[in-house]
Amino acid sequence: MTQPTIETRSFQAQTKKLLDLMIHSIYSQKDVFLRELISNASDAIDKVRFEALTNPELATDGKIKLIADNAARKLTITDNGIGMTYEEVIEHIGTIAKSGSEAYAEKLKELGKNASAPDLIGQFGVGFYSAFIVADEVTLETCKAGEADGVRWHSRGDGEYTITRIPARPHGTSVTLHLRALAAPEEEALPDTDDDFSDPWTLRKTVKKYSDFIAYPIVLDVEKHEVERDADGKVVEGGKTETKIIEETINSQKALWTRTPSEVTTEEHNEFYKHLTHDWHAPMQTLHFHVEGTQEFTALLYVPEKAPMDLYAREQKRGLQLYIKRVFIGADVKELIPEYFRFMRGLVDSSDLPLNVSREVVQQDAVVARIKKTVTTKLINFFKDLLAKDRPAYETFWDEYGQAIKEAFHYDPAVKDKIADLLLVKTTKGDAWSTLAEVVERMKEGQTALYYLTGEKFDVLREAPQLEVFAKKDVEVILLGEAVDEIVVGTLEKYRETELKSAARGELEGLPESVEDKVKQEEHAGKYEKLLGKLKTLLADDLADVRLTTRLTDSAACLVADEGGMSAQMERMLAAMGQAMPDQKRILELNPDHAVVDAMCQLAEKTGTDDRLKDFGEMLVDQALIAEGSPLKHPARFAKRVTDTMARAAMGA
Ligand code: ADP
């Protein structure tokens, strides 16, 4: 080993701030520091056991040891995990990298001076630094498996730490806390806040509370007094008393997921979930099941309270943990769960896979593919059940994850009918969520199709001119305001037996119609023939057709797509994605009952009016584009035409 040099380094400003808050605030849950340190130790053992799959020399029976020294007020947490290199200590322990810690610091900032909010720390996993809640000095010694040197790190939590190389030792890490003095009884802010963590009783209680499920034994050195006995086992009067130190295992180690689902309590799930995900909220939903028979595995799945910020980013971490017969194989195994359930956290423990399975094998493995299929079915049924049994909870879930679930229509059309039952939609009738079945249930007599309108924003959608006739006939229209909705309706086509039809595409069919409506339509057809013919020719460059509509009651005109054509929303989506857009001509529909259309009809009967008709026609197209939220080709030209028309009207021309 080279001559050890002691390097003194400063914490980053943010880390310093966090440490400061940790030290100077009063918490009711000081004991969470132990959960955090044990969790780190357990993760480190997971890692070395994973390495051992390819490097048998590292084979380790994991063990986490607590050594309490009451007289010296010290507590040491030791593990035989993977350990850290010099650089890793600087990177992981010297800097604040963890999202939980950052969120915690943010929250404290938000609370300003009242930063001593007592339960805050219990809600946030703040990792290693939580040691400073109970310690005024922390020493970490570690040696990475296979490294020539070990590392010692030391800090008083005062803005600096020292780091130095030490002789190599068996791989693993030990964290020694020099515990703060206990508060005098009269200073105790809250009962139960000043537990003595150098007392075995307190340690046992705390481990039971937070870390009972940790898969490795957590042991405590306890003194055992043995009195001298004779050959018959009788105590020898005045004999010697021998004091032995023995290791007592203080956690049950029963991997939570191997237990009978109904016997695991919510508190146990919450603790386990926090250990698993480092999330500081309890999970929103929990699904735990065993599969037996042709496949054998256990899954423990959680819906996080909040979707991660990067749920829609390509590089988002996704997947479940994979265990094989309780041995940790890997985190973020994305082959275990479909893309559209990527927000789920949790694990699968399989009995059917070989222990030496590699990443590459997992990718193509038939057993893994079957597990994914079963997990998918279980999840779909679970959410269907939730929808039936607890609507408010399901709506909360849908608000958070509905958009991701809709991607199933893209990734896995085979399950589209099942996913259709999970959809919640907004409609023209109020703000509440409805299922498709509920919208079908409310269909009007004579209505044969379900109508929908896609767009970018609900507010714009609600006022779309294309909805006017539906309002008049009191027919409910589903409003779809997310980009992915185009894929949903494109793939779904039908809900059970009922066809899905765009309210802005093709001819309107499937709506209830009265005899008067029909008579009026025939009259109009004759009256407007000339206008329609002229406009069609004049606007042929921009439009596929000009026709009368039954869609509108108040507006003069709207644009619709051909039955097979692309909706305005799809066009905007493709354009936004930088896709070369085929120049799609749409259909201009005119409202025969509108004064402007009537006036244009009279104009068309005269000669020499083509220029003005063309002008008006183009203005109607532009207006229709504005109403549906689409951009204009020539906005300045439109603005000028409007002001010219206003000026002429004002002068009585
Ligand atoms: P988190 O565990 O949430 O990442 P921490 O602040 O608790 O945040 O720890 C930061 C990192 O330090 C860990 O991710 C891990 O890489 C490393 N680390 C902490 N404790 C140990 C340990 N006992 N053994 C090995 N590495 C550890």
Side-chain angles (χ1 to χ4, degrees), residues 387 394 398 402 405-406 409 418-425 434-436 488 492:
L387 172 61
Y394 186 80
W398 185 260
I405 292 194
K406 286 178 184 173
F409 291 95
K418 288 188 188 145
I419 299 283
D421 284 328
L422 299 181
L423 289 180
L424 289 186
V425 293
S434 303
T435 61
L436 292 182
V488 175
L492 192 56

Side-chain angles (χ1 to χ4, degrees), residues 40-41 44 47 79 84 92-93 98 127-128 173 278:
N40 282 348
K47 283 181 199 153
D79 66 64
M84 283 175 272
H92 297 313
I93 304 295
K98 225 191 96 194
F128 180 78
T173 303
H278 299 277

Side-chain angles (χ1 to χ4, degrees), residues 36-45 47 77-84 88-89 91-101 125-130 140-142 144 172-175 277-278:
E36 300 292 324
L37 296 181
I38 288 177
S39 176
N40 282 348
S42 160
D43 287 351
I45 298 171
K47 283 181 199 153
I77 297 111
T78 303
D79 66 64
N80 54 357
I82 188 87
M84 283 175 272
E88 283 169 343
V89 172
E91 189 187 336
H92 297 313
I93 304 295
T95 32
I96 182 167
K98 225 191 96 194
S99 56
S101 319
V126 283
F128 180 78
Y129 298 109
S130 60
L140 172 141
E141 290 187 350
T142 185
K144 177 105 173 192
T173 303
S174 70
V175 181
T277 61
H278 299 277

Side-chain angles (χ1 to χ4, degrees), residues 53-67:
L53 294 175
T54 46
N55 181 2
E57 272 178 31
L58 294 179
T60 309
D61 283 331
K63 182 157 94 178
I64 300 164
K65 183 163 180 163
L66 308 182
I67 304 159

